[in-house]
């Protein structure tokens, strides 16, 4: 019992104050409270997941937002992941990374507040019963600020690898959510958005592909021949059967009769 109280007191002293530079696995930046999070670069230079969709973390409307920028993967270490996390909560906001949906646990990074003071913690989440367990996952360059119910934080997770082998895998599902915090214990993590599997090295991995433009090479419907191009009825070909017409016979008889008379 006494040992548990000592651990709790140490945790509160080390994680509640942004001036404290962290423990062996947590390292705070020098400018701990300088945090500026926007949508700039989403889908181009950074991977973004948010709820509601396409919300603005720098605006006045509710927006739970996370962005990630990955370094070049290096086996077997993986990548260094720079993360921005922003949202409103009276307790905590968090982002979880799950390498495989069927895995039993997720790594959860928590940014919280208690009475306006910033609190940072890494946890392991049991995906079955949603239980949270403290874990000493290394995190660097931590920055955090609290303004009313708004919590913003930035940090770098080094050596992140979805593979347990010597290869490097970079596909994770990002879990975005929040929960309660009473100053000593974190409540259950409530998931607001599950991104599904994403390649964290590709900023546009959750951007729908743009449809190819439709070609206008089809012939227009008005290219049919106009109805007035039919041949006129009086253009029938003459009769070439060789039969003499009645007036021609009369003309021939007249000529023969005149010839006979002239000879008499």
């Amino acid at each position: 019992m006494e040992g548990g109280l000592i651990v709790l007191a140490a945790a509160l002293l080390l994680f509640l104050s942004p001036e404290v530079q962290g423990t062996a696995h947590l390292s705070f930046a020098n400018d701990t409270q300088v945090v500026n999070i926007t949508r700039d670069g989403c889908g181009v230079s950074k991977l973004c997941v948010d709820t509601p969709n396409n919300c603005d973390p720098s605006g006045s409307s509710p927006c739970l937002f996370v962005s990630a920028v990955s370094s070049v993967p290096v086996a077997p270490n993986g990548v260094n992941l720079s993360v921005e996390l922003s949202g409103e909560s009276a307790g905590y906001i968090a982002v979880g990374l799950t390498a495989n949906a069927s895995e039993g646990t997720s790594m959860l990074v928590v940014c919280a507040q208690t009475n306006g003071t910033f609190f940072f913690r890494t946890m392991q989440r049991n995906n079955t019963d949603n239980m949270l367990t403290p874990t000493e996952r290394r995190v660097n360059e931590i920055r955090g600020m609290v303004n009313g119910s708004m919590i913003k934080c930035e940090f770098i997770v080094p050596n992140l690898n979805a593979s347990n082998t010597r290869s490097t895998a970079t596909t994770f599902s990002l879990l975005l959510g929040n929960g309660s915090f009473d100053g000593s214990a974190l409540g259950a993590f409530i998931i607001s958005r599950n991104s599904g599997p994403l390649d964290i090295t590709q900023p546009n991995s959750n951007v729908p592909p743009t449809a190819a433009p439709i070609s206008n090479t089809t012939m227009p419907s008005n290219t049919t021949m106009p109805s007035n191009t039919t041949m006129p009825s009086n253009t029938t070909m003459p009769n070439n059967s060789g039969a003499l017409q009645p007036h021609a016979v009369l003309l021939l008889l007249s000529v023969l009769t005149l010839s006979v008379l002239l000879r008499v």
Side-chain angles (χ1 to χ4, degrees):
M1 180 65 181
E2 182 180 354
L5 291 174
I6 294 174
V7 171
L8 177 59
L12 290 173
L13 288 173
L14 289 171
F15 301 129
L16 289 181
S17 175
E19 285 77 19
V20 177
Q21 296 303 300
T23 66
H25 70 285
L26 297 180
S27 174
F28 286 82
N30 292 328
D31 49 346
T32 56
Q33 293 181 306
V34 178
V35 183
N36 182 30
I37 301 177
T38 71
R39 289 196 62 86
D40 294 349
C42 282
V44 178
S45 59
K46 63 185 182 183
L47 173 66
C48 298
V49 177
D50 45 40
T51 182
N53 286 337
N54 300 317
C55 64
D56 185 359
S58 62
S60 58
S61 300
C63 181
L64 188 54
F65 175 91
V66 65
S67 73
V69 177
S70 169
S71 65
V72 176
V74 177
N77 296 329
V79 302
N80 294 336
L81 194 67
S82 298
V83 180
E84 297 175 323
L85 181 61
S86 173
E88 292 187 52
S89 176
Y92 72 86
I93 58 175
V95 58
L97 292 100
T98 301
N100 190 320
S102 62
E103 282 189 347
T105 60
S106 302
M107 183 186 77
L108 197 68
V109 182
V110 173
C111 295
Q113 67 154 319
T114 175
N115 297 323
T117 302
F118 179 69
F119 171 97
F120 187 91
R121 192 68 170 97
T122 56
M123 307 292 287
Q124 179 174 279
R125 174 181 179 265
N126 186 308
N127 294 336
T128 302
D129 58 16
N130 203 23
M131 291 293 294
L132 302 181
T133 304
T135 180
E136 293 192 352
R137 178 60 165 89
R138 183 172 176 82
V139 181
N140 299 331
E141 294 296 314
I142 302 168
R143 296 179 176 87
M145 62 168 289
V146 175
N147 183 9
S149 61
M150 176 62 68
I151 305 171
K152 295 178 182 284
C153 58
E154 299 174 347
F155 50 90
I156 298 174
V157 181
N159 302 332
L160 186 63
N161 194 345
S163 173
N164 292 323
T165 66
R166 293 185 62 83
S167 62
T168 296
T170 57
T171 298
F172 288 87
S173 292
L174 274 65
L175 310 177
L176 193 57
N178 54 29
S180 62
F181 179 55
D182 62 6
S184 60
L186 297 170
F189 177 54
I190 302 171
I191 298 175
S192 299
R193 178 75 184 272
N194 183 341
S195 71
L198 298 174
D199 185 347
I200 59 174
T201 66
Q202 301 298 320
N204 63 346
S205 61
N206 62 344
V207 177
T210 303
I214 300 174
S215 175
N216 293 322
T217 58
T218 56
M219 294 295 290
S221 59
N222 59 359
T223 56
T224 57
M225 293 296 290
S227 58
N228 58 1
T229 57
T230 57
M231 296 295 290
S233 60
N234 58 357
T235 59
T236 56
M237 296 300 292
N239 190 342
N240 294 325
S241 64
L244 293 176
Q245 298 298 320
H247 64 276
V249 174
L250 292 175
L251 179 59
L252 180 59
L253 290 175
S254 298
V255 171
L256 291 175
T257 302
L258 180 60
S259 177
V260 171
L261 293 175
L262 289 175
R263 290 180 182 182
V264 175

